[in-house]
Every structure is written in C-alpha cells, then in structure tokens.
C-alpha cells in the first residue's frame, strides 16, 4: 500500500483541497451498496461524523471487501472528493484498502441499536458507539474547560493525596487500604487489629475528598483547585451515585460564602458555555437521540441567575407544597437532609432555575463548616440543578480555632488525625471558603444522560468493578 500521511476524519471532512490523495484510518460502522459500488461509513473517534468511503468494485478486489465488516479496522487511501450526499462535505474515493483488523459476526455492536443497560455490559466496546463517543468527547472538553477556567483566574492546580488517614466528610464511607493478610490478621493483646504491622503503620483509606489538604494549600497559595478521583463506600445504588467519582474542589483564602456562591455560579456557567461552544455536533446528537430539551436547558442555565435561599426558607416552600397536596416519597421538616426529590421540586417546579441553598442545620453537615450566630446552622451551600438535584456542596470554613476544636470534640473526631489541619487555624488563620463539584453530576447535566454509569468510562458501583 502506498504510504500517505494519515488525516484524522475530523480534519478530512473540513479539507477543501478536492482531488488530493489522502489516507484515513478507522473502524467500519456500516457497509452498503450494489454490485458496482459500495459505501463504507468509517469512524475514527475524532468526530461523531463518519467519512463516507466510496468503493468502485471495478477497482478494488471484491474478495478483500468481504473482510470489510461492521467493526473491522481499515486503512484507506483515496482521492478527496466533494460529497453529494446530505450532511457531509467530503468523501473519499478509495484507491487502496487495507484491512488492519478483522471483526467477525460475533462483534457485539452490529448495526441494530442497543439499550444503554446492555451497553454497560460491554463497557470495553461502548466508546465505539455514537452515544459514548459523544459522551466521552464531551467529558474531555469539560476537563479542559475546568482547567482553563481556574488557570485564567489565577488558581493553582494542587494535587492532594488519594490515600489518607482522615475522614474529611466524617460520614464513615471509606474504602480501607491495607497490605495486611486478611486471612491471617494479627491482633493486639486487647483484641484489636494490629495496624502497626500494616504498610503505613496505621489504618488508612481512599480519600472521600481532597478538601482538608486543599485548605492547607489555599491558606498559603491563596487560591487552588483539586481535580481528581474520590471514593465513597456508600451503598447507594442510584442513578446519581458512584463509588469512584471525580471531584473538582476549589478553595480560596479570604472568600466568604457570597464570594463562594459567585465563584460556583460563574464556574458552572463557564463549563456549560464551553460545551455549547465546543461540542456542538455531539450535543446535537444527544439532543436528537435522547433529550429534545437538552440544548435549550443548557442555554437556559446561562441566561438565568441562580436563586439564593436559606435552607429554612426552602423547607417552608416544601412544607407548603405538601399542604397543597404535593406528594413526596420522603417526609420534609426542618432538620431533615433533603432528598433529591425535594431539591428537584425547588428547582424544577417552584423556581424553574438553579437554586443555591445556604445555612443548613449543623447536624446534617460536616464539622469544618463555619458556625452561624444562631447556634443551629452552618454557612453551608449546596447548588441544586434541574434533573440532578445537588451538583455542588461547599461552605465557608470555620476559621476560629476554639470553635473548630469544640466541634471536633463534640463529634468525637480523633484528634490525632487532625493536628495538622488545626494548625491552619493556629497560625495565621483566615476566612476561607470552597466547594466540591461532582464531575459526573456535571456530565449528567451537560449530556442529558439519565444514569451516572453512562458518563464515566468504567463505572464502579456496589457489586460492580468489571473492566
Ligand atoms: O457534598 P460533598 O460530600 O462535599 C464534599 O466532599 C466537600 N469536601 C466539598 C468541598 O467543600 N470541598 O460532595 C461534593 C459533590 C456533591 O455535591 C456531588 O456533586 C458529588 O460531589 N458527589 C458524588 N458524585 C457521584 N457519586 C457520589 N457518590 C457522590 N458523592 C458526592
Ligand atoms: Mg453534599
């Protein structure tokens, strides 16, 4: 085969030098035609669009074409031509075809459509479908948007450890990390497990959040963000929970809760606008296939300012709704940790735009949040989104050493795990705030997908760690 430098299909579709000799490589989506001419739709992942390869059977060996089946990998040399077909600008008139990798009739992604549930069982192949190609290209774009946003604002990307000895959220939903022989565990004299023999010499876990170390960084570098995997051993089999998910956690010295809300709103809007500006083809596909209101919903979020409301006011609205006959699955009263149905009622039914709920009861929030004067609430903020419910959780942090220490003791958090964190309040303490955005929750919103298992390549959920 003649050596020609490869052009990716996204580029080849835009080229205007009709008549040029080109090479493309990719996987066969479909082949159709008659005994004179065949049309092969080739996709290389660079775009949702396929390149049409036109094969004149007088020029290409028919025997070779037998191996050109759905899923096979091809290298194609040919002449770039203007396409007369709808929805494409160029096509390739093949001069030479090389089958790099065959795919026989057992290839699971034959032409017929598959349900998203079925595709989860073949997560190793699903990126080759239009849907998952679109989702993962958007996922990449969202990551770039996030780094761009913070870099432009002068934040530093700070790397926090994944293995930790402390439980940031205090919810006890951590995966243990150990090299101890689980079939032969040593115990101390009082019958407890002997962690002195373990790899780190003490109990350790996978982190649920990079926030605590993020605060160390914010109170020295000024403004930082983390962006990495986090792990939660919560046994919630819902369309919005993963055991391994990615989180973005900005933390800013001298920001109060209002600055924090402003940052969160600007940040999400930047990401949504980035998707609209950079992922038009993929969004259009998802809009047409799954959710006819997707693009309108994304544009809507850019237009409106987010409602800002105290938890207490939010609960009043929900109680009023119950009084007027609205049925929720879970009860609602002051002090309850709101369920996603409550959050979505506020956003979708009542206000019809995103809501930032603030000043939650301290009992349902983490130890590090700034305590309000009322003695009952903390300066927390959750950003609630249509279709999703909570997309961001954050707060102003308790900057007062004594108040923070008192709360740590009240909650029986082991002090030996926390000494380094308390040092931020001991030496040059300052007001500061931050939040965590669940990357996959953002992905759910931006793609319109219904299940969080469909916006991460290889989901980890209870009883599922395949691939
Ligand atoms: O509200 P969370 O638990 O807050 C924190 O972890 C804080 N340390 C953040 C901070 O202030 N720096 O989690 C933050 C966000 C949630 O709003 C949600 O979007 C996402 O992380 N999240 C999950 N996403 C997928 N699966 C799970 N199991 C999640 N748990 C939380
Ligand atoms: Mg939360």
């Amino acid at each position: 085969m003649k050596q020609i430098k490869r052009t990716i299909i996204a580029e080849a579709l835009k080229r205007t030098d009709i008549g040029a000799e080109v090479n493309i490589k990719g996987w066969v989506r479909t082949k159709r035609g008659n005994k004179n001419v065949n049309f092969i739709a080739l996709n290389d992942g660079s775009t949702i669009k396929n390149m049409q390869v036109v094969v004149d059977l007088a020029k290409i060996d028919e025997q070779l074409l037998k191996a050109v089946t759905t899923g096979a990998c091809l290298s194609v040399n040919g002449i770039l031509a203007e396409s007369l077909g709808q929805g494409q600008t160029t096509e390739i008139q093949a001069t030479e075809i090389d089958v790099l990798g065959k795919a026989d009739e057992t290839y699971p992604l034959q032409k017929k459509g598959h349900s998203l549930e079925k595709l989860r069982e073949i997560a190793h192949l699903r990126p080759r479908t239009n849907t998952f190609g679109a989702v993962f290209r958007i996922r990449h774009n969202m990551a770039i948007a996030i780094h761009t946003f913070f870099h432009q604002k002068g934040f530093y990307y700070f790397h926090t450890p994944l293995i930790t000895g402390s439980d940031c959220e205090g919810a006890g939903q951590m995966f243990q990390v150990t090299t101890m022989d689980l079939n032969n565990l040593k115990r101390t004299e009082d019958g407890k497990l002997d962690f002195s023999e373990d790899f780190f010499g003490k109990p350790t876990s996978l982190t649920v959040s990079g926030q605590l170390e993020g605060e160390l960084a914010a109170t020295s570098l000024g403004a930082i963000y983390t962006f990495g995997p986090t792990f939660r051993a919560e046994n919630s089999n819902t369309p919005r929970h993963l055991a391994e998910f990615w989180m973005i956690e900005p933390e800013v010295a001298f920001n109060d809760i209002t600055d924090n809300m402003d940052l969160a709103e600007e940040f999400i809007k930047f990401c949504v606008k980035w998707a609209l500006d950079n992922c038009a083809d993929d969004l259009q596909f998802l809009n047409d296939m799954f959710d006819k209101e997707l693009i309108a919903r994304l544009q809507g979020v850019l237009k409106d300012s987010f409602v800002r409301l105290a938890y207490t006011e939010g609960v009043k609205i929900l109680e009023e709704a119950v009084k007027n006959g609205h049925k929720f699955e879970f009860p609602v009263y002051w002090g309850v940790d709101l369920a996603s149905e409550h959050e979505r009622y506020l956003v979708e039914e009542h206000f019809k735009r995103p809501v930032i709920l603030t000043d939650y009861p301290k009992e349902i929030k983490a130890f590090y949040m700034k305590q309000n004067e009322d003695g009952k609430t903390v300066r927390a903020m959750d950003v609630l989104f249509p279709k999703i419910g909570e997309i961001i959780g954050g707060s102003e942090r308790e900057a007062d050493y004594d108040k923070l220490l008192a709360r740590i003791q009240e909650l029986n958090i082991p002090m030996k795990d926390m000494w380094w964190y308390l040092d931020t309040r001991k030496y040059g303490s300052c007001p500061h705030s931050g939040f965590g955005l669940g990357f996959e929750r953002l992905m759910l919103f931006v793609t319109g997908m219904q299940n969080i298992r469909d916006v991460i390549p290889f989901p980890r959920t209870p009883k599922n760690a395949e691939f």
Side-chain angles (χ1 to χ4, degrees):
M1 199 179 188
K2 187 171 171 186
Q3 286 298 314
I4 304 171
K5 193 170 158 24
R6 173 186 170 223
T7 307
I8 60 168
I9 288 174
E11 289 306 317
L13 286 167
K14 285 190 232 150
R15 277 174 67 164
T16 53
D17 52 339
I18 301 302
E21 255 194 313
V22 296
N23 170 270
I24 59 167
K25 296 182 170 71
W27 295 269
V28 176
R29 286 294 172 81
T30 56
K31 183 180 76 170
R32 61 189 174 83
N34 54 39
K35 55 184 184 336
N36 299 320
V37 61
N38 271 202
F39 300 97
I40 302 167
L42 207 66
N43 189 286
D44 69 358
S46 60
T47 159
I48 192 151
K49 293 181 178 150
N50 301 325
M51 176 60 88
Q52 171 153 280
V53 177
V54 184
V55 186
D56 182 346
L57 294 183
K59 293 183 189 150
I60 303 266
D61 176 22
E62 238 190 297
Q63 203 52 35
L64 179 138
L65 279 178
K66 289 213 174 98
V68 177
T69 53
T70 297
C73 185
L74 308 185
S75 174
V76 178
N77 284 347
I79 308 296
L80 196 69
E82 225 166 311
S83 173
L84 303 175
Q86 265 201 343
Q88 62 217 27
T89 43
T90 58
E91 62 187 26
I92 286 171
Q93 283 158 0
T95 49
E96 281 181 289
I97 294 178
D98 185 15
V99 179
L100 299 178
K102 291 182 186 172
D104 66 15
E105 67 288 345
T106 63
Y107 179 62
L109 296 171
Q110 300 295 342
K111 232 190 283 177
K112 74 173 168 59
H114 298 269
S115 71
L116 295 171
E117 288 78 10
K118 193 80 204 152
L119 288 172
R120 266 173 234 147
E121 293 168 15
I122 47 169
H124 60 306
L125 292 173
R126 67 179 181 168
R128 290 198 196 174
T129 63
N130 280 331
T131 300
F132 287 93
V135 167
F136 298 139
R137 278 187 295 273
I138 294 171
R139 192 176 162 105
H140 158 82
N141 270 281
M142 288 299 89
I144 299 298
I146 287 158
H147 286 300
T148 305
F149 176 81
F150 287 117
H151 181 67
Q152 283 177 356
K153 287 185 91 71
F155 284 55
Y156 297 109
Y157 179 29
F158 191 75
H159 294 121
T160 52
L162 299 189
I163 299 175
T164 174
S166 56
D167 180 359
C168 173
E169 294 305 299
Q173 299 168 321
M174 304 184 81
F175 288 102
Q176 291 181 30
V177 173
T178 180
T179 53
M180 293 195 294
D181 178 0
L182 297 182
N183 292 312
N184 183 22
L185 289 169
K186 285 211 187 106
R187 294 188 182 266
T188 55
E189 276 172 9
D190 52 359
K192 296 215 173 95
L193 284 182
D194 183 7
F195 284 97
S196 66
E197 298 277 298
D198 202 357
F199 190 90
F200 296 105
K202 64 172 190 176
T204 51
S205 307
L206 294 177
T207 191
V208 296
S209 159
Q211 179 195 323
L212 301 186
E213 293 89 351
E215 286 186 54
L216 309 180
T219 54
S220 46
L221 298 172
I224 64 92
Y225 68 105
T226 72
F227 185 0
T230 47
F231 308 87
R232 298 206 182 173
E234 53 188 333
N235 203 356
S236 20
N237 241 320
T238 83
R240 285 178 313 280
H241 288 89
L242 289 165
E244 176 180 290
F245 64 99
W246 288 62
M247 188 153 50
I248 300 97
E249 295 185 276
E251 191 72 34
V252 190
F254 316 113
N255 267 9
D256 65 14
I257 189 79
T258 307
D259 303 320
N260 208 30
M261 290 192 272
D262 292 345
L263 181 67
E265 183 166 344
E266 190 188 347
F267 173 44
I268 295 206
K269 286 181 171 173
F270 182 93
C271 293
V272 170
K273 182 162 190 309
W274 188 282
L276 287 166
D277 290 347
N278 295 281
C279 309
D281 290 344
D282 289 324
L283 286 177
Q284 193 62 54
F285 173 82
L286 296 172
N287 190 92
D288 296 345
M289 282 297 289
F290 295 104
D291 182 350
K292 298 279 185 286
E293 270 137 44
L294 172 63
I295 291 176
R297 195 159 57 244
L298 298 183
Q299 286 161 342
V301 159
L302 296 185
K303 207 166 72 263
D304 297 327
S305 60
F306 298 1
V307 175
R308 300 180 182 191
L309 188 78
Y311 166 93
T312 302
E313 300 306 311
V315 168
K316 277 186 197 152
I317 292 170
L318 293 166
E319 283 174 335
E320 197 62 30
V322 172
K323 232 183 266 166
N324 294 331
H326 191 90
K327 296 258 183 298
F328 291 115
E329 191 183 338
F330 298 100
V332 59
Y333 51 90
W334 197 95
V336 79
D337 200 0
L338 297 180
S340 144
E341 56 170 345
H342 304 133
E343 298 171 336
R344 290 183 58 180
Y345 179 87
L346 291 174
V347 173
E348 290 164 31
E349 314 269 330
H350 191 83
F351 290 108
K352 298 192 168 38
R353 53 196 169 114
V355 175
I356 310 183
L357 222 50
T358 60
D359 302 291
Y360 283 73
K362 66 177 182 190
E363 277 73 25
I364 57 170
K365 290 292 181 189
F367 73 95
Y368 49 70
M369 295 191 181
K370 185 176 171 69
Q371 298 162 37
N372 282 324
E373 306 277 295
D374 63 12
K376 293 191 298 193
T377 60
V378 285
R379 214 154 284 176
M381 57 167 237
D382 278 8
V383 180
L384 313 180
F385 251 53
K387 299 269 182 193
I388 313 289
E390 179 189 340
I391 194 165
I392 280 181
S395 75
E396 186 170 339
R397 315 308 188 190
E398 183 55 78
D400 183 281
Y401 181 90
D402 295 324
K403 286 189 185 158
L404 183 60
L405 182 61
R407 192 71 186 132
I408 285 175
Q409 286 166 344
E410 229 168 48
L411 293 171
N412 286 319
I413 299 170
M415 272 304 299
K416 63 175 181 4
D417 298 341
M418 284 296 155
W419 64 272
W420 50 272
Y421 181 68
L422 279 161
D423 270 4
T424 52
R425 278 53 169 187
K426 200 158 151 192
Y427 307 117
S429 186
C430 69
H432 61 287
S433 300
F435 60 80
L437 168 72
F439 189 48
E440 287 75 21
R441 300 258 175 108
L442 174 70
M443 281 295 299
L444 280 177
F445 181 71
V446 169
T447 61
M449 299 303 279
Q450 303 276 338
N451 194 310
I452 202 161
R453 293 162 181 77
D454 296 332
V455 295
I456 186 166
F458 304 105
R460 265 75 183 106
T461 50
K463 302 276 179 288
N464 173 38
E466 192 71 28
F467 310 108

